[in-house]
Amino acid sequence: MSQQKDKTPGPTQTSSAPSPPHFDTIVVGAGSAGAVIAARVSEDPNRTVCLIEAGPDYPLLNETPADLVNSHNNSYVDHDWHLDYEPTRGRVVPFPRGRVTGGSSAVNTTIALRGVPEDYDEWADSGCDGWQWDDVLPAFKRLERDLDFGNADYHGDAGPISIRRYPTAELLPQHQAFLATSTDLGYAQCADANDPDGWGAGPHPMNKLGRLRVSTAVGYLAPARVRPNLSIRADSHVRRLLIRNQRCYGLELESGGEVHTLTANTVVLSAGALMSPTILMRSGIGPRQQLAAHGIDVVLDAPGVGANLSDHPALAVAATVRDGSIIDTDSPLIQTILRYTAEGSNKRNDLQIEQISFANNRHGPGFVIACVLEYQYGRGELRLRSADPHDPPVVDNHFCEDTRDATRLTQCFRDTLAFTKTGALAEMIDQVTYPDPARAMSDDDIMARCRTHAGSGFHPCGTVRMGDSSDGAVVDSRGRCYGIDGLVVADASIMPSVPRANTNLTCIMIGEKIGEWLRTEPDSFL
Ligand SMILES: Cc1cc2nc3c(=O)[nH]c(=O)nc-3n(C[C@H](O)[C@H](O)[C@H](O)COP(=O)(O)OP(=O)(O)OC[C@H]3O[C@@H](n4cnc5c(N)ncnc54)[C@H](O)[C@@H]3O)c2cc1C
């Protein structure tokens, strides 16, 4: 047990009241970042760590439900929060988020892509010391076991998350056609999409082994859970943080129909970009007016909580195929990717096109090709719906309201349509069913469609932004909450901006970095 424990003020207690369980570190949320932090901090056998998760925990792989094991498709129902969002005002659609140990890494598509180095350099330039590319690369290397390029100097070969790419022989016909067509269209081929200098089309790096999804529950928690100093409390919904004299000393959770209190020297909030700001607001940390409107006592007026929502707006082109036998909904949902740069853009790899193996189509067996804006200028926001600890937040994305975003997603949509008219992929397609080929589409039409129909790439971040407090950031460059001692936020919510990549690996990297600091320099988090 660490020395610091005794210095931390606990909740008010009478001599007859039993003390609530106390830990050196409590981590809220066992997701991509939280599971990593709990695993890394508990490497020190002298530190007690409690990892709290609202969803269930499956300690044994052979007792883990198939939707979590099967990486060929996402799990949308059984281990989901059933949240929604407004991509454009007035239209409400589901916003999946994992609710289980492993968090969203346990339900996702297992695309294991890093942002480009410039993403992290931009973070550092915005006041996040210690997050430029050279600072984050060691953590990216530490987290992975790259089975294809492990000997490259920018890769790791011994980390908890196994990553591999489908070799050509394992690519489905539509993915082979996608790569052939991308060459016809003049795009480079890229064997390793995680090459920091790379661009072009190639196999996706994926954190899966065969069918097995290598989530943080599998990669990090499985080996760590035997430690006596790590307790994992699943099926425990955190209602709010406990704060006195501007110090967070614990939290209140619901479990088995009862409300419990736990205390800690340091509380780490890793509940994800939608739930971390929600828990902060319920605890009195957030925009004063909003808290007051819901009758919540203001502990800290923090206007940045819930602001700066950053994500990847996306659209898709849908088509039916000539040979329906290639459409198998039990096959891998995705295998390939194209990363490239919009015309005239100074943001490298700001666009992605992805072949999706299959999709529902009322016209017949078919697939979609997704076009995704990877560098987003615009920002959305998240607001509290009520003070009720079970009410989900209101999420308003404001996608493509910024013309720079709408213009580049429009280009990406046109580039995606070109795939349906070229080479092997065109030969495979029977008909394009969306957009309606009978309707002419000007750039203005497509831009309008971007504003009304772009959906989330499921990569929300930035809602508890890291940076300078003078600039409105909520946490400093180690995730420490400005104005509240003993409280750290560490997950997708602290990213100043969404990286030009799917976000799971970056969340794990955040867990690696902040977990390492918490383990080696615990006093700086009190
Ligand atoms: C369907 C889907 C597909 C995706 N595909 C990919 C992909 O292929 N590649 C990729 O890179 N990214 C993908 N993503 C995004 C990526 O998985 C997330 O960005 C990442 O997992 C977020 O990590 P996090 O630590 O911020 O939050 P999460 O991993 O979501 O973890 C938050 C955890 O906190 C828990 N929690 C929340 N509130 C409470 C509470 N009140 N009390 C207790 N616990 C709580 C949650 O249950 C959850 O376990 C996908 C996401 C989804 C949903």
Side-chain angles (χ1 to χ4, degrees):
M1 195 74 57
S2 70
Q3 297 279 314
Q4 294 78 33
K5 178 180 170 186
D6 296 328
K7 290 193 226 155
T8 307
T12 310
Q13 292 158 18
T14 63
S15 52
S16 59
S19 299
H22 184 89
F23 301 88
D24 291 310
T25 310
I26 290 178
V27 183
V28 179
S32 299
V36 175
I37 291 170
R40 287 303 187 201
V41 177
S42 63
E43 284 173 4
D44 178 350
N46 296 315
R47 302 192 61 74
T48 54
V49 178
C50 181
L51 176 62
I52 301 170
E53 169 55 44
D57 180 36
Y58 302 100
L60 298 175
L61 199 53
N62 62 0
E63 291 174 9
T64 303
D67 62 306
L68 304 177
V69 176
N70 176 26
S71 64
H72 280 8
N73 208 335
N74 300 329
S75 166
Y76 288 120
V77 180
D78 291 354
H79 297 92
D80 190 70
W81 279 87
H82 303 289
L83 306 176
D84 52 37
Y85 72 109
E86 294 189 30
T88 51
R89 284 173 186 272
R91 195 162 69 88
V92 178
V93 293
F95 205 156
R97 294 286 94 193
R99 190 173 187 274
V100 60
T101 48
S104 298
S105 81
V107 300
N108 75 12
T109 324
T110 66
I111 292 166
L113 204 58
R114 300 169 175 177
V116 296
E118 297 93 306
D119 289 324
Y120 309 102
D121 291 343
E122 279 191 21
W123 291 10
D125 289 347
S126 73
C128 304
D129 292 341
W131 293 88
Q132 66 184 23
W133 173 246
D134 289 346
D135 300 319
V136 301
L137 181 58
F140 275 121
K141 290 166 68 168
R142 197 160 64 235
L143 70 85
E144 73 176 2
R145 173 172 165 250
D146 193 304
L147 295 165
D148 303 313
F149 296 98
N151 56 358
D153 59 0
Y154 54 85
H155 273 305
D157 62 1
I161 301 292
S162 295
I163 294 175
R164 82 184 274 269
R165 297 146 192 82
Y166 284 100
T168 307
E170 290 180 33
L171 290 180
L172 299 168
Q174 51 273 53
H175 289 278
Q176 298 200 17
F178 176 78
L179 294 185
T181 293
S182 66
T183 303
D184 294 343
L185 289 168
Y187 298 107
Q189 294 295 297
C190 183
D192 179 12
N194 278 334
D195 179 338
D197 300 318
W199 79 279
H204 246 315
M206 304 191 84
N207 51 305
K208 62 197 294 186
L209 288 172
R211 236 176 222 269
L212 175 67
R213 179 183 282 110
V214 185
S215 68
T216 56
V218 172
Y220 283 86
L221 287 187
R225 63 170 68 244
V226 294
R227 294 175 191 151
N229 59 323
L230 172 64
S231 27
I232 301 175
R233 288 183 73 140
D235 301 306
S236 300
H237 180 91
V238 171
R239 294 157 58 108
R240 65 185 181 104
L241 307 173
L242 299 175
I243 299 162
R244 191 175 54 218
N245 299 332
Q246 304 307 102
R247 162 171 287 277
C248 180
Y249 64 86
L251 51 79
E252 192 181 272
L253 61 81
E254 261 176 62
S255 176
E258 291 179 3
V259 176
H260 303 268
T261 296
L262 303 182
T263 63
N265 298 345
T266 305
V267 174
V268 183
L269 195 51
S270 298
L274 304 185
M275 290 311 199
S276 284
T278 308
I279 294 172
L280 286 176
M281 288 195 258
R282 285 206 301 262
S283 312
I285 302 171
R288 176 184 295 280
Q289 276 188 332
Q290 210 184 125
L291 303 185
H294 294 295
I296 297 170
D297 290 341
V298 179
V299 172
L300 181 77
D301 180 18
V305 175
N308 190 53
L309 173 62
S310 183
D311 197 345
H312 292 142
L315 280 174
V317 170
T320 55
V321 293
R322 290 182 204 278
D323 175 7
S325 72
I326 68 163
I327 301 299
D328 174 4
T329 54
D330 193 38
S331 63
L333 181 66
I334 195 164
Q335 295 183 309
T336 49
I337 181 177
L338 166 61
R339 296 177 105 175
Y340 72 112
T341 306
E343 273 168 34
S345 169
N346 62 356
K347 303 294 181 189
R348 190 167 64 92
N349 288 349
D350 55 357
L351 298 177
Q352 255 187 30
I353 298 180
E354 289 175 312
Q355 173 71 41
I356 310 295
S357 310
F358 51 85
N360 286 335
N361 191 321
R362 65 189 166 88
H363 301 281
F367 53 60
V368 297
I369 314 171
C371 45
V372 190
L373 178 65
E374 291 291 309
Y375 187 96
Q376 191 203 27
Y377 287 94
R379 292 291 186 269
E381 63 183 321
L382 175 150
R383 299 181 298 278
L384 209 56
R385 197 179 300 265
S386 82
D388 182 332
H390 292 284
D391 250 1
V394 178
V395 183
D396 206 345
N397 289 68
H398 296 284
F399 281 149
C400 292
E401 289 179 11
D402 188 304
T403 304
R404 292 167 294 183
D405 293 343
T407 309
R408 286 171 307 135
L409 189 57
T410 297
Q411 185 200 323
C412 196
F413 193 71
R414 277 220 182 282
D415 295 339
T416 305
L417 281 171
F419 272 80
T420 67
K421 296 173 189 145
T422 309
L425 209 55
E427 282 166 27
M428 193 169 267
I429 288 173
D430 182 35
Q431 60 166 324
V432 172
T433 54
Y434 180 89
D436 181 352
R439 283 184 52 191
M441 292 203 94
S442 67
D443 278 356
D444 284 348
D445 293 333
I446 300 176
M447 215 181 288
R449 200 164 282 241
C450 290
R451 294 201 168 104
T452 53
H453 282 74
S456 169
F458 302 156
H459 302 146
C461 17
T463 47
V464 186
R465 182 166 67 84
M466 166 170 70
D468 285 334
S469 60
S470 59
D471 187 30
V474 183
V475 299
D476 73 7
S477 44
R478 291 195 164 198
R480 293 171 294 208
C481 185
Y482 288 117
I484 305 289
D485 292 333
L487 176 60
V488 178
V489 185
D491 57 24
S493 60
I494 69 168
M495 300 184 200
S497 54
V498 69
R500 278 161 265 186
N502 311 52
T503 38
N504 191 36
L505 275 202
T506 297
C507 291
I508 298 175
M509 177 275 286
I510 288 171
E512 279 280 355
K513 279 184 73 73
I514 295 186
E516 179 83 349
W517 284 325
L518 278 158
R519 183 169 60 84
T520 56
E521 302 170 42
D523 289 1
S524 67
F525 291 91
L526 294 177

